[in-house]
Amino acid sequence: MRVLGINAVFHDPSAALVVDGVVVAAAEEERFSRRKHGKPPVPFSTWELPEQAARWCLEHGGVRPEDLDAVGYSYDPRLGPEPNHDLATDGWEGLRTLYVRRAPLFLKAALPGLDPSRVRFVPHHVAHAASAYLAAPSSTASVLVLDGRGECASHLAGRAVEGELKILAIQALPHSLGLMYEEVTAHLGFRRSSDEYKVMALAAYGRPRFLDVLRAAVRSTGDGGFVVAPIEWASLAPRVDPGGAWGEAHADLAASVQARLEEMLVELARWLHEQTGDRDLVMAGGVALNCVANSHLAERGPFERVWVQPAAGDAGTALGAALYVAQRLGDPIAPMPTAALGREWPEAALRAWLETAAVPFERPRDIAEATAEVLAANGVVAWFQGRSEFGPRALGHRSLLAHPAHPDNLRRLNDIKGREQFRPVAPMIRLERAADVFEGPLPSPYMLFTHRVRPVWRPRIPAVVHVDGTARIQTVDADEEPLVARMLAGFERRTGLPAVVNTSLNTAGRPMVDDPRDALECFGSAPVDALALGPFLVRRRAA
Ligand SMILES: [Fe+2]
C-alpha cells in the first residue's frame, strides 16, 4: 500500500510517505519554503498544505498522486469544534473545522490526480501516538502523548499491543500541560509554540521557588488525566517584552514550571504503568521534545526504557497518520530505522552546485578525516551529508560542528546562529565512548535526553556543558552512521577528545539548511571556517 501522511492543521506542516509499511520519506514544509515552522498556527492558515514536502515525498518514492491507496490527515474534524453561524466565536476555531473538512479538495488541487475520497482523517493524538508505537523498536509498549492541543484534547495515554492501540485516558481541553508551557514561554518574551526549549534552557539558571503555586494549580486527577487551573504569571515574575531582558525571577519561574512538568510526567507515567505493567514507554507530542523532563522520567519513572519519536512535535503526526492508515489497510509496519528521511543529492549534483557558486573546493580522500583536521585546529565546520533530518534536531546530516574544549566556541556558535547566550550547544559522541563521559540512558541517537557530564570531563569539554553540569548528547552508532563515526574517531585521534560540538546548521530565525543552496548561503553569510558538502571541502580563505 502507498500511503501519504499530511500534517497541516496547527504548525510544522509536513508530509510523509509509507510504502508497504516502510517509511520511505518524511519532510517538513519549512525546509522547502524557508519559512520557520511553515506557517502561523492560526485557524486562517489551516487550508495551507505542505505542498512542496508532499510533492517531494511522492517524487522520491516514485509514486504518482493517482497511485496513492490512501492519505492520512492528522486531524479529525468530527472531533473538532462545530462551526456555528458566527464563525468568529471561540477565536475562529469553527473555521479550522471547515477548512479541514475541505482538505481533501485542497489536496486534490495541490496534488493533481489524487482521489479526494482516499483521504482518511486520523485523530490528532492517535496520529501522535502512532508516530511513537508504530515507529519505535518495540511494538508492545505504553503510550503517552502530551502536547498543546489537538481537536478537543491535550493528552492521550494508552497501550499498544503488537501495534494495536487501546486508549486508556484522554485529557480534554482546556487543561493542557503544553499550553501552560506555551503561556509561560510567551510571558517570558519568547515565541509561543516555537521557543519552549528556551524556557527549558533558562530553567537551569533558576531555583524552583514558585513550585508550591504550580503544584496547587497543576494536579493529576488519579484517573490518568490532570487539571491545569489558570495561573497569574505576572504575580510571580513581571512580563518580559519580546527580546527583553530577563532576571532572577524569570529564571526562577522557568525553573518552577519545568520542575512541575517533570513531576507531572512521572505522575502520569506511574498511573499508566499501574494499568499496563509494561517495561517500555513510547512518547510523542510537543511536550516530549522537553529533553530535561524526558531524562527525569527515564530516571525516576516506572518504565525501564523510554523511546521518544524524534519528530515528537506536530510534524511527526504526518508520519503517524501514514503509519496508522497503512496498518489499518493491512500492511505490517516496520520501525523507523533513522530520522534521516529527507532530501539528499548525489556527488555530481553537489559538484555542480559548487561550480555554479564558483567557490574553490577540494575533494579530500576522506571528508571525515579532512573535517576532523579542521575541527582539531579549532575551525567551525558546516557539515552537510546525506539525507536531511526529520524533526527539529540536527543529527549529523545538517550540522555545525566545533571543538568542545574551547569555552568560547559556545559564543561563536550562538553568534553564528543569532541565539541567546544562555542557550547550550550539544555534543555528539560515538556510542562506545558515551558511557565514559556521560551518565544517563544509552543509546541516545536523537538528542531527546540530557545526560550528566562526568566531573572529570567537565573542564575538558566546557563548550558543551550546560550550567547545571548536563549535556544533551547524541550517540553515534558506527553501523548506522559510519561517516559521522569516522569523523569523531579522527577528531579523538588528533585531540584525545571523544566528543564534538554539534548544533543545527542554520542562521538566526531560519529553518535548518536542507538543500545545497541553503548550505552555500549559510556558509557565505556566517563566519564558518569550512563547508563539508558531501565529499567536498570548501575552506574560507582566512582559515
Ligand atoms: Fe500536536
Side-chain angles (χ1 to χ4, degrees):
M1 294 286 171
R2 288 151 293 199
V3 183
L4 182 68
I6 295 285
N7 169 54
V9 171
F10 300 106
H11 36 69
D12 302 319
S14 62
L17 181 67
V18 171
V19 176
D20 298 334
V22 176
V23 188
V24 170
E28 291 179 54
E29 186 72 0
E30 65 160 28
R31 309 287 160 87
F32 296 80
S33 67
R34 313 307 299 156
R35 191 178 174 203
K36 193 139 180 164
H37 297 298
K39 61 179 182 179
V42 294
F44 310 100
S45 71
T46 303
W47 66 271
E48 284 185 46
L49 291 165
E51 290 189 24
Q52 298 181 73
R55 275 191 214 115
W56 171 77
C57 284
L58 292 177
E59 193 186 300
H60 180 81
V63 173
R64 297 175 305 169
E66 51 267 49
D67 299 332
L68 285 168
D69 295 293
V71 178
Y73 185 101
S74 61
Y75 188 97
D76 189 339
R78 287 162 295 203
L79 302 174
E82 194 55 36
N84 55 29
H85 294 302
D86 182 4
L87 278 178
T89 54
D90 193 20
W92 295 85
E93 280 301 321
L95 183 65
R96 195 190 304 276
T97 305
L98 283 181
Y99 276 147
V100 178
R101 283 184 192 159
R102 301 284 289 184
L105 295 174
F106 294 144
L107 273 163
K108 184 184 171 208
L111 303 170
L114 180 139
D115 176 356
S117 72
R118 305 224 155 152
V119 178
R120 297 179 180 216
F121 295 113
V122 180
H124 186 75
H125 291 107
V126 172
H128 269 307
S131 80
Y133 71 83
L134 290 175
S138 55
S139 61
T140 295
S142 299
V143 185
L144 188 59
V145 173
L146 285 163
D147 67 358
R149 57 162 299 188
E151 295 88 350
C152 54
S154 72
H155 148 273
L156 176 155
R159 181 169 199 229
V161 178
E162 298 300 323
E164 288 289 333
L165 177 67
K166 185 175 174 221
I167 296 173
L168 297 171
I170 281 178
Q171 180 54 56
L173 294 171
H175 305 286
S176 168
L177 295 173
L179 290 180
M180 173 196 70
Y181 214 93
E182 281 185 27
E183 271 174 32
V184 81
T185 300
H187 186 77
L188 292 172
F190 304 125
R191 196 171 153 208
R192 181 187 266 273
S193 63
S194 166
D195 290 350
E196 281 67 27
Y197 53 95
K198 297 184 184 178
V199 177
M200 186 185 75
L202 188 56
Y205 289 83
R207 285 181 306 116
R209 67 180 156 107
F210 306 121
L211 190 52
D212 286 349
V213 179
L214 269 297
R215 281 179 179 152
V218 183
R219 303 182 311 277
S220 42
T221 44
D223 55 359
F226 49 86
V227 292
V228 181
I231 299 164
E232 196 51 61
W233 301 112
S235 71
L236 306 176
R239 189 174 187 86
V240 181
D241 290 329
W246 52 271
E248 192 185 307
H250 302 103
D252 290 350
L253 177 57
S256 306
V257 172
Q258 177 67 29
R260 187 61 189 138
L261 178 72
E262 291 166 12
E263 292 177 348
M264 285 298 294
L265 267 184
V266 172
E267 287 174 28
L268 294 173
R270 283 209 182 112
W271 179 87
L272 182 55
H273 188 261
E274 278 165 20
Q275 317 303 311
T276 68
D278 286 326
R279 299 165 77 176
D280 287 281
L281 174 70
V282 298
M283 293 204 296
V287 174
L289 290 172
N290 191 309
C291 55
V292 178
N294 293 348
S295 299
H296 186 89
L297 177 61
E299 212 162 82
R300 289 173 219 196
F303 292 96
E304 273 176 43
R305 288 175 295 255
V306 180
W307 187 90
V308 182
Q309 159 60 239
D314 276 0
T317 63
L319 176 58
L323 291 172
Y324 183 81
V325 170
Q327 195 212 32
R328 280 280 163 286
L329 293 173
D331 279 342
I333 305 296
M336 67 188 280
T338 170
L341 297 165
R343 291 187 288 177
E344 75 175 323
W345 281 262
E347 178 173 340
L350 296 175
R351 181 185 286 276
W353 275 103
L354 291 167
E355 285 168 354
T356 302
V359 288
F361 63 93
E362 58 198 271
R363 192 188 188 294
R365 195 183 312 151
D366 183 355
I367 190 67
E369 288 292 336
T371 298
E373 186 80 43
V374 177
L375 292 171
N378 202 23
V380 173
V381 179
W383 173 257
F384 181 105
Q385 303 294 339
R387 298 184 71 173
S388 58
E389 297 90 344
F390 183 52
R393 304 277 102 86
L395 301 167
H397 292 245
R398 303 289 186 272
S399 289
L400 268 175
L401 308 176
H403 200 307
H406 305 285
D408 193 46
N409 278 344
L410 175 60
R411 185 197 55 77
R412 275 169 90 190
L413 292 170
N414 278 338
D415 281 351
I416 289 171
K417 292 158 67 81
R419 308 197 315 177
E420 300 84 354
Q421 291 302 336
F422 65 84
R423 305 270 303 280
V425 289
M428 49 166 46
I429 186 164
R430 279 178 299 147
L431 179 57
E432 64 267 32
R433 297 287 279 121
D436 300 336
V437 184
F438 303 105
E439 276 175 77
L442 295 174
S444 182
Y446 299 133
M447 298 174 77
L448 289 161
F449 298 88
T450 54
H451 292 63
R452 270 182 301 279
V453 185
R454 292 190 188 280
V456 62
W457 280 97
R458 287 179 197 172
R460 299 189 66 191
I461 50 172
V464 295
V465 183
H466 198 26
V467 63
D468 58 2
T470 66
R472 186 181 64 191
I473 74 169
Q474 179 196 353
T475 56
V476 175
D477 186 331
D479 292 336
E480 287 156 19
E481 296 283 351
L483 183 72
V484 180
R486 213 160 63 238
M487 179 273 293
L488 290 168
F491 183 76
E492 181 165 16
R493 231 175 22 254
R494 288 170 176 84
T495 62
L497 299 174
V500 161
V501 179
N502 166 37
T503 183
S504 57
L505 180 53
N506 63 315
T507 48
R510 297 187 176 218
M512 253 158 74
V513 158
D514 203 80
D515 73 12
R517 182 199 296 273
D518 306 332
L520 282 158
E521 284 179 357
C522 181
F523 179 68
S525 62
V528 175
D529 299 302
L531 166 64
L533 190 80
F536 304 108
L537 189 69
V538 187
R539 294 174 196 272
R540 191 172 301 285
R541 208 172 304 155

